[in-house]
Amino acid sequence: MPAITFDQFWSWQAAADLLPELLTAFVKVTLLVTVVGTIVAVVLGLSLALITQVTPSVIARPVRWVMDVIRMTPLIVQLVFASFLVPVDWNLLWVGTVVIGVHYSTYMAESFIAGIGSVDRGQWEASRALSLPQARTWRAIVLPQAMRATLPSLGNWTISMFKDTPYLFAISVLEMVTVAQQAGNNTFRYNEAFTIAGLIFLVASLVTALAVRRLEKALVY
């Protein structure tokens, strides 16, 4: 049986030909979904956390129930379900972005709740002793400390969101992994296509993790 040569396993020319196509898919879909989805998740997650902390239980409990349902339902099921609910002329890229953002907002909300709970009770008592308005207490004392405490977990959720973008294939959005698979189907160079896609994911995740660490240090010091 003849041995498999390196040229059969890997072609630098095929990798060079595939790289621009995969980078384009990464920037136009994967990165876009991650950035916009993270903004949606952070804003909505913080809003959900505040609702559960400051509103009466008649409002907070149903909100927590909805959060639990979203968090415990598979993301791919939510994507498919949403794609059937929206009108057929809607852009499924943006539908998927919103669904991913809403899905991860429930995880980020839990991180925010934990961060709020980590603020020392003495901070609350001091603000009441100074007769500070509740809105200013939250804005100037509680939320800054909670953000510093939750930043590492928010970064982790962002990286998880980034790695979950391939689920967009379920609603026919051509993100990077789907493009890699189609390129492999066309050229029969699956090794190059999926290796490059994996390396792009790895580099982007490492850059994100490094940025979060630098931001965390900047906020602490």
Side-chain angles (χ1 to χ4, degrees):
M1 181 177 178
I4 298 176
T5 65
F6 180 79
D7 289 339
Q8 292 175 304
F9 178 80
W10 182 268
S11 168
W12 290 108
Q13 183 59 50
D17 293 339
L18 289 168
L19 182 60
E21 184 178 3
L22 294 179
L23 283 176
T24 300
F26 169 75
V27 173
K28 289 187 174 181
V29 179
T30 304
L31 184 61
L32 175 66
V33 171
T34 302
V35 171
V36 178
T38 298
I39 294 172
V40 172
V42 170
V43 173
L44 182 57
L46 180 58
S47 300
L48 291 171
L50 291 175
I51 289 173
T52 61
Q53 297 298 299
V54 303
T55 60
S57 59
V58 67
I59 298 175
R61 285 181 180 176
V63 170
R64 288 300 296 260
W65 182 83
V66 172
M67 288 169 53
D68 290 340
V69 170
I70 294 174
R71 193 170 60 254
M72 296 177 185
T73 307
L75 174 58
I76 192 170
V77 174
Q78 296 173 9
L79 287 167
V80 174
F81 184 71
S83 69
F84 285 123
L85 285 181
V86 301
V88 293
D89 59 339
W90 281 29
N91 188 326
L92 291 180
L93 171 62
W94 294 112
V95 172
T97 302
V98 172
V99 171
I100 291 175
V102 171
H103 180 84
Y104 273 94
S105 72
T106 59
Y107 292 97
M108 292 191 180
E110 293 294 342
S111 296
F112 282 123
I113 292 171
I116 292 170
S118 69
V119 177
D120 190 86
R121 299 306 302 176
Q123 302 283 334
W124 297 90
E125 296 171 0
S127 65
R128 284 194 294 268
L130 294 172
S131 300
L132 292 179
Q134 187 178 30
R136 187 177 178 186
T137 299
W138 279 96
R139 185 177 63 253
I141 299 175
V142 178
L143 289 182
Q145 297 181 68
M147 287 297 294
R148 284 195 292 269
T150 59
L151 188 59
S153 64
L154 297 183
N156 289 335
W157 292 129
T158 299
I159 294 173
S160 295
M161 182 191 305
F162 169 67
K163 293 188 294 185
D164 278 350
T165 54
Y167 284 133
L168 290 170
F169 84 92
I171 57 175
S172 302
V173 174
L174 297 181
E175 46 69 50
M176 184 174 60
V177 174
T178 304
V179 171
Q181 182 177 14
Q182 291 183 347
N185 293 339
N186 295 331
T187 64
F188 299 102
R189 304 301 308 193
Y190 292 99
N191 291 339
E192 293 84 354
F194 284 106
T195 299
I196 292 173
L199 288 174
I200 292 174
F201 270 114
L202 177 61
V203 171
S205 297
L206 290 174
V207 170
T208 302
L210 180 62
V212 170
R213 289 196 188 103
R214 291 179 67 89
L215 181 58
E216 182 183 359
K217 291 180 180 179
L219 290 176
V220 171
Y221 300 109

